[in-house]
Amino acid sequence: MEYAIKTLDLTKKFGDFTAVKSVNLAIKPGEICGFLGPNGAGKSTVMRMLCGILEPSSGSGEILGYDLVQESEAIKKRIGYMSQKFSLYDDLTVAENMEFYAGIYDIPYRQRRVRIQEMLELAQLSGQRRALTSDLSVGFKQRLALACAIISRPEILFLDEPTSGVSPTSRRAFFDIIHDLAQAGTTVIVSTHFMDEAERCHNIAFMLQGYLLAVDTPDRLKEKVIKGIMVRLQLPDPMYWLPRLSAQPWVLEASLHGLFIHVLLANEEAVERLYEITGHNPQRIVPNLEDVFISLAKQKN
């Protein structure tokens, strides 16, 4: 099977509102594909269509060789899904939650003890098996929700903004587990708005206003989308400078990144002109994924 997921012009309408507009995806087995974009971009809607939860308004797709519309029940048996709200029972222990999900996925009773132990070790929760779920930190709850989602050993795992509200340390540990799953052959689809997480995905699908703007590896996106010299400046009043720099004909893009302004310049001469105007030395930088997204969004508009 060349692709675990393949879609053609996948579209979803809610009344007169089109939430997802002609999305074309081709994701290979064992890949981690990150869906990146602001709230309302259509990421969750695409995921729910791929899971068989929502029926597309038009377009088509295949998941693990199954037709997205005609064979949605067969698809559901071979995937795992984890939402950002962590569907756990607080009044159960860690092991009891996993026992419950093992039952939902019809895992034979004789296999459950071994499978639960495997998931506890994978999610680094072995020392918490008897802990009440309500007493767990958000990071531990996140890992428990993942363990419950993969207890059936799904071929595709869908993670809908799974790291919202957890610490950076917990986010990194969570992505380490995701990489272990992908290396073992699981295809992982994860939506996120964290650029550092997106950098760790094999491919990134940028979404905005229901459109899929681009799909590629982080490095190739930076090479293809960003054409010019990227620099950054720390100026005393960035909001004053931003529109003035944007108005210069030799400035291709200018955007605010915290205390810094990132400026995409047309050529070497523009670097000198930028120094002359601002009186500050511009620092050359490698474009990041936020620069890529800003550039793609401007191209779309």
Side-chain angles (χ1 to χ4, degrees):
M1 181 175 54
E2 186 178 3
Y3 295 109
I5 296 172
K6 191 171 178 63
T7 70
L8 178 63
D9 294 336
L10 202 63
T11 299
K12 183 62 182 177
K13 294 183 178 181
F14 296 98
D16 295 331
F17 174 67
T18 305
V20 174
K21 305 163 185 175
S22 298
V23 165
N24 296 298
L25 284 169
I27 301 169
K28 293 181 178 179
E31 281 188 352
I32 303 173
C33 182
F35 282 17
L36 193 60
N39 291 335
K43 305 187 300 294
S44 294
T45 304
V46 171
M47 274 199 178
R48 287 169 188 159
M49 284 192 284
L50 297 178
C51 288
I53 298 171
L54 285 177
E55 186 173 334
S57 302
S58 61
S60 61
E62 283 190 358
I63 310 295
L64 299 169
Y66 293 100
D67 183 271
L68 190 57
V69 176
Q70 303 298 325
E71 300 173 289
S72 61
E73 291 306 311
I75 291 169
K76 289 175 186 176
K77 292 176 182 177
R78 299 178 69 177
I79 64 172
Y81 176 76
M82 175 182 164
S83 71
Q84 57 183 299
K85 294 182 180 177
F86 304 162
S87 301
L88 300 170
Y89 293 91
D90 280 346
D91 56 343
L92 298 181
T93 66
V94 167
E96 287 168 345
N97 261 292
M98 297 182 70
E99 181 77 32
F100 174 77
Y101 276 93
I104 287 179
Y105 286 113
D106 291 326
I107 296 171
Y109 187 78
R110 283 176 291 182
Q111 296 178 16
R112 290 185 193 180
R113 181 178 295 180
V114 173
R115 189 74 58 85
I116 288 171
Q117 186 57 39
E118 286 177 359
M119 296 303 107
L120 286 169
E121 291 173 4
L122 179 66
Q124 301 167 22
L125 288 169
S126 295
Q128 304 291 326
R129 65 178 303 137
R130 292 185 179 84
L132 203 61
T133 301
S134 59
D135 294 336
L136 297 177
S137 67
V138 177
F140 277 133
K141 284 184 178 180
Q142 173 206 50
R143 282 189 254 162
L144 175 57
L146 176 64
C148 292
I150 62 176
I151 199 164
S152 65
R153 294 179 180 156
E155 294 172 64
I156 303 179
L157 177 62
F158 293 91
L159 306 170
D160 192 1
E161 297 204 6
T163 58
S164 295
V166 302
S167 69
T169 302
S170 292
R171 290 199 290 112
R172 284 192 294 272
F174 187 82
F175 253 74
D176 288 341
I177 297 170
I178 290 174
H179 271 269
D180 289 342
L181 289 168
Q183 286 178 356
T186 305
T187 306
V188 181
I189 313 299
V190 55
S191 66
T192 181
H193 53 267
F194 294 111
M195 298 295 168
D196 60 323
E197 289 182 354
E199 288 277 8
R200 298 188 66 182
C201 296
H202 299 129
N203 284 293
I204 302 168
F206 277 106
M207 293 199 68
L208 180 69
Q209 298 172 353
Y211 290 100
L212 181 62
L213 302 184
V215 184
D216 215 327
T217 67
D219 288 341
R220 281 203 294 263
L221 281 166
K222 293 169 191 175
E223 291 172 5
K224 290 195 302 187
V225 175
I226 305 296
K227 303 293 185 183
I229 301 169
M230 181 68 72
V231 301
R232 73 176 182 182
L233 287 165
Q234 188 169 14
L235 299 172
D237 189 354
M239 294 306 294
Y240 167 84
W241 280 104
L242 191 61
R244 285 158 178 78
L245 294 177
S246 299
Q248 301 300 322
W250 36 270
V251 171
L252 303 178
E253 289 171 15
S255 56
L256 194 60
H257 295 250
L259 299 174
F260 295 94
I261 297 177
H262 286 201
V263 187
L264 184 61
L265 300 169
N267 49 44
E268 291 289 344
E269 182 184 350
V271 179
E272 297 176 13
R273 298 185 73 175
L274 186 63
Y275 173 74
E276 291 170 2
I277 286 179
T278 64
H280 287 70
N281 249 329
Q283 179 187 357
R284 295 182 188 236
I285 58 171
V286 176
N288 59 31
L289 289 177
E290 194 170 351
D291 296 317
V292 171
F293 183 74
I294 289 169
S295 184
L296 286 169
K298 285 184 178 179
Q299 291 173 27
K300 183 64 183 174
N301 296 330

